Amino acid sequence: MILNGLGGTEFTEQHALNSARLMNEAQPDYLSTLVVSFPLGQAKFAKNFVNGFQLPDQHGLFLEMQMLLENLDLKHTVFRSDHASNYLSLKGTLGQDKAQLLAQVRGAIETPEQSNLRKEWQRGL
């Protein structure tokens, strides 16, 4: 499982690229993502960041997901990003569905209003 947003805005690229590198080495049978959340507050976690921790906004989360997917080189991995915390529900098998999954993410980046995204109230945990 990968926690989308765990690197905050400061380490988004590093988190996406290193997560992809790890998954490429592991070639897991199943991979899922969800958006990191801090139901009890993020202050304690933020102390580990130079500028504090700032969770990427919706657009930033989509950019991170795009970067992750672009850098995944998986052969037969069931991929799910359909947890309630995700704005965009993604389901497929990597690598055969990679282009389709990327198209969905790019659609959410370019035209979020047409991408059937979850509303904030639907993401409550």
Side-chain angles (χ1 to χ4, degrees), residues 27-30 74-78 93-96:
Q27 291 293 312
D29 293 328
Y30 184 86
L74 302 175
K75 307 302 180 211
H76 305 287
T77 300
V78 173
T93 301
L94 295 168
Q96 72 186 36

Side-chain angles (χ1 to χ4, degrees), residues 5-6 35 65 78 81 100-101 109 116 120:
L6 185 61
V35 174
M65 180 62 74
V78 173
S81 185
Q100 173 197 353
L101 293 167
I109 291 168
N116 196 29
E120 284 297 330

Side-chain angles (χ1 to χ4, degrees), residues 18-111:
N18 287 331
S19 295
R21 187 175 306 126
L22 178 63
M23 292 303 104
N24 290 342
E25 287 292 321
Q27 291 293 312
D29 293 328
Y30 184 86
L31 173 62
S32 65
T33 71
L34 55 84
V35 174
V36 69
S37 65
F38 302 95
L40 301 177
Q42 65 188 35
K44 183 176 179 182
F45 186 79
K47 291 178 185 177
N48 296 313
F49 285 77
V50 175
N51 298 315
F53 179 84
Q54 183 175 348
L55 186 65
D57 62 9
Q58 183 185 74
H59 183 77
L61 291 168
F62 293 154
L63 292 174
E64 182 177 332
M65 180 62 74
Q66 177 180 333
M67 193 178 316
L68 172 69
L69 287 170
E70 287 173 343
N71 287 280
L72 286 173
D73 186 19
L74 302 175
K75 307 302 180 211
H76 305 287
T77 300
V78 173
F79 178 77
R80 296 291 184 265
S81 185
D82 57 354
H83 184 266
S85 63
N86 294 303
Y87 288 100
L88 177 65
S89 182
L90 299 169
K91 296 179 183 182
T93 301
L94 295 168
Q96 72 186 36
D97 298 325
K98 182 175 179 174
Q100 173 197 353
L101 293 167
L102 276 168
Q104 286 180 266
V105 173
R106 289 181 182 132
I109 291 168
E110 295 166 10
T111 55

